[in-house]
Amino acid sequence: MAITNDTEIKIADDIFWIGGDDRTAAVFEGAFPIPEGVSYNSYLISDEKTCLLDTCDASIAAKFWKNFRHAIDGRSLDYFVINHMEPDHGAGIIQILDSYPEVTVVGNSKTFDMLYNFYGIVPKNKLEVKEGDTLCLGKHTLRFIFAVMVHWPEVMFSYDETDKILFSADAFGTFKTLSGALYADETDFDKEYLNEARRYYSNIVGKYGSKVQAVFGKLAGTPIDMICPLHGPIWRTDLGYILGKYDTWSRYEPEENGVVIAYASMYGNTAAVADRLAMLLKDRGVENITVYDVTRTHPSYVVSDAFRFSNIVLAAPTYNNSLHPTMVAVLDDMEVMAVQNRKFSIIGNGSWAPQSPRIMEDRLLGMKDMEKVGEPFIIKSSMKPEQMPELEKLADEIAASL
Ligand code: FEO
């Protein structure tokens, strides 16, 4: 179904998508580049009772309000479920409560704490739910499944027991706008979205893998026909695909054998070694290789491919008797997002006192279940021809480890 982008879209009996695309923001959460934009989804159930699930980001507030008003079609709003309090879904909260002062706000105790902390709001009518509580809207009954720390403490999923729809908050969402396709099955998801879905997961949720696994445990045995996340396309077919990706990512298992090579280089000498290694690996039959210059690539892309691939190669010069700052930023993000269970190799450079190999190795070994492949390949200022056999040996060892 194509999106008209000027009104709501019916996704099931009585249920409407009322979201929109943002192509204006350069970064998400003030941190992550979103060159392909991002979408914000919210949903309205128009049953015997009306129920709004979450609102939107300020960037699409006008569109959300227009869609919402059209979908509710003059009825009053009975319930307002807040599955997630992060402000990229909260820009409509005040307007909703001002327009519908009698609405019952549905959340958990942490939701209401955050509602006050962010907006100074104590709703006139509130329904504080606990794990497993249900809310009957008429034909549809919502069951609330807490998804604590996926990726905030108040997060909960709302499960429509009638149509077997999971309103999953941020989970199963992605960066990148919808651009006409509301459903994942209207896209070539592998080609169009997977990289951005992984970058979203690994950088927003990545460190909370055990919490994702806990929610999977709660969902076991629950039939799901549709997943409605707060970002990105809706899933109505092949749900096992995205559930499987989340299972793999949250277990910190590599999606595929392959190598991400991330390098910092001041004058091109470290970059030359990284590029040469990539070619040697390709010669040895390694199919999946990505190479990033971290002096111009945001760490979120490296973290994402660290979740994707089995092997990581970091290459960087020594700087101020330490490590080049752009590689420090990459390692900081890898640590924060709990990259683990990977094989790694090191390329270091130091013109008079090469410190970078030891620093990178120590930090990578400090992450959980990391295995070093080969010895650090170290150059002094530039690689010399006589070092080629050593680099080939490293390539052999990496290829053999896949
Ligand atoms: Fe899309 Fe955690 O907010």
Side-chain angles (χ1 to χ4, degrees):
M1 176 187 293
I3 300 170
T4 59
N5 249 358
D6 60 1
T7 186
E8 84 286 355
I9 299 286
K10 198 170 195 175
I11 61 170
D13 278 350
D14 318 317
I15 302 181
F16 300 91
W17 169 85
I18 49 174
D21 285 331
D22 175 22
R23 296 183 181 83
T24 60
V27 291
F28 184 79
E29 295 185 351
F32 303 103
I34 44 171
E36 298 180 279
V38 66
S39 63
Y40 299 97
N41 303 324
S42 45
Y43 304 93
L44 178 72
I45 303 175
S46 188
D47 200 344
E48 289 173 25
K49 300 289 186 182
T50 55
C51 178
L52 171 67
L53 295 113
D54 295 297
T55 66
C56 64
D57 184 69
S59 59
I60 67 151
K63 177 184 291 292
F64 161 80
W65 192 246
K66 182 179 176 185
N67 291 351
F68 168 74
R69 291 295 295 263
H70 194 269
I72 200 164
D73 195 22
R75 298 182 65 189
S76 66
L77 182 63
D78 297 303
Y79 293 104
F80 174 26
V81 172
I82 302 179
N83 281 323
H84 186 20
M85 267 301 300
E86 192 161 9
D88 58 327
H89 310 289
I93 288 176
I94 290 174
Q95 194 167 13
I96 288 291
L97 295 186
D98 281 350
S99 301
Y100 301 94
E102 299 302 318
V103 68
T104 297
V105 181
V106 182
N108 55 61
S109 61
K110 292 187 175 66
T111 315
F112 293 112
D113 288 346
M114 289 187 179
L115 193 57
Y116 181 78
N117 290 341
F118 273 111
Y119 303 108
I121 289 174
V122 178
K124 179 179 174 188
N125 299 311
K126 70 175 190 178
L127 175 61
E128 186 175 310
V129 296
K130 295 191 169 44
E131 175 85 46
D133 282 359
T134 58
L135 173 65
C136 181
L137 303 174
K139 193 174 86 180
H140 299 269
T141 295
L142 296 178
R143 175 158 56 89
F144 302 103
I145 300 162
F146 286 14
V148 178
M149 295 316 299
V150 181
H151 61 128
W152 276 27
E154 87 298 356
V155 172
M156 58 185 195
F157 297 171
S158 298
Y159 174 68
D160 175 10
E161 295 185 332
T162 309
D163 284 347
K164 302 179 177 56
I165 298 175
L166 186 69
F167 297 96
S168 62
D170 281 338
F172 314 113
T174 179
F175 293 137
K176 188 169 179 175
T177 55
L178 297 172
S179 297
L182 181 56
Y183 298 99
D185 58 41
E186 296 175 316
T187 73
D188 181 343
F189 196 87
D190 259 350
K191 183 177 165 195
E192 300 293 331
Y193 279 100
L194 180 57
N195 284 341
E196 284 297 82
R198 185 188 306 104
R199 192 165 68 92
Y200 179 86
Y201 174 85
S202 57
N203 287 277
I204 304 295
V205 186
K207 72 177 292 184
Y208 301 113
S210 64
K211 307 299 183 184
V212 174
Q213 285 293 315
V215 177
F216 272 127
K218 292 183 190 181
L219 291 173
T222 301
I224 302 171
D225 287 344
M226 186 180 284
I227 297 175
C228 293
L230 289 174
H231 304 280
I234 292 170
W235 289 85
R236 62 181 177 183
T237 59
D238 198 16
L239 272 55
Y241 172 95
I242 193 66
L243 292 166
K245 293 294 183 194
Y246 261 64
D247 189 43
T248 299
W249 295 334
S250 59
R251 291 179 190 277
Y252 301 99
E253 298 288 345
E255 255 176 281
E256 50 193 326
N257 284 333
V259 185
V260 52
I261 301 174
Y263 71 82
S265 193
M266 296 164 65
Y267 301 107
N269 293 306
T270 308
V273 181
D275 281 332
R276 192 62 188 259
L277 178 65
M279 289 186 170
L280 292 172
L281 291 172
K282 191 61 86 173
D283 283 346
R284 284 154 178 75
V286 179
E287 292 185 2
N288 298 315
I289 302 170
T290 54
V291 180
Y292 293 112
D293 175 354
V294 303
T295 68
R296 52 178 291 162
T297 303
H298 191 268
S300 61
Y301 291 88
V302 181
V303 167
S304 182
D305 273 6
F307 270 72
R308 176 183 178 187
F309 288 135
S310 54
N311 287 59
I312 301 164
V313 177
L314 298 186
T318 302
Y319 195 87
N320 286 334
N321 205 32
S322 182
L323 178 62
H324 194 273
T326 57
M327 187 58 76
V328 172
V330 169
L331 283 159
D332 285 351
D333 270 16
M334 288 175 65
E335 282 177 357
V336 167
M337 300 324 294
V339 169
Q340 57 188 268
N341 189 35
R342 294 295 185 273
K343 295 168 181 166
F344 74 86
S345 306
I346 295 290
I347 296 168
N349 191 353
S351 290
W352 58 92
Q355 298 290 347
S356 66
R358 176 188 56 77
I359 295 169
M360 288 188 285
E361 181 176 338
D362 285 352
R363 292 194 65 176
L364 286 164
L365 284 173
M367 300 173 199
K368 189 177 176 189
D369 297 331
M370 300 293 271
E371 178 187 339
K372 186 173 73 168
V373 175
E375 288 304 312
F377 182 83
I378 300 172
I379 60 172
K380 284 196 168 183
S381 304
S382 66
M383 181 177 156
K384 308 301 180 295
E386 59 269 26
Q387 290 186 283
M388 195 60 199
E390 186 187 348
L391 190 62
E392 288 177 335
K393 179 170 180 285
L394 181 59
D396 288 339
E397 290 170 316
I398 294 171
S401 77
L402 292 172

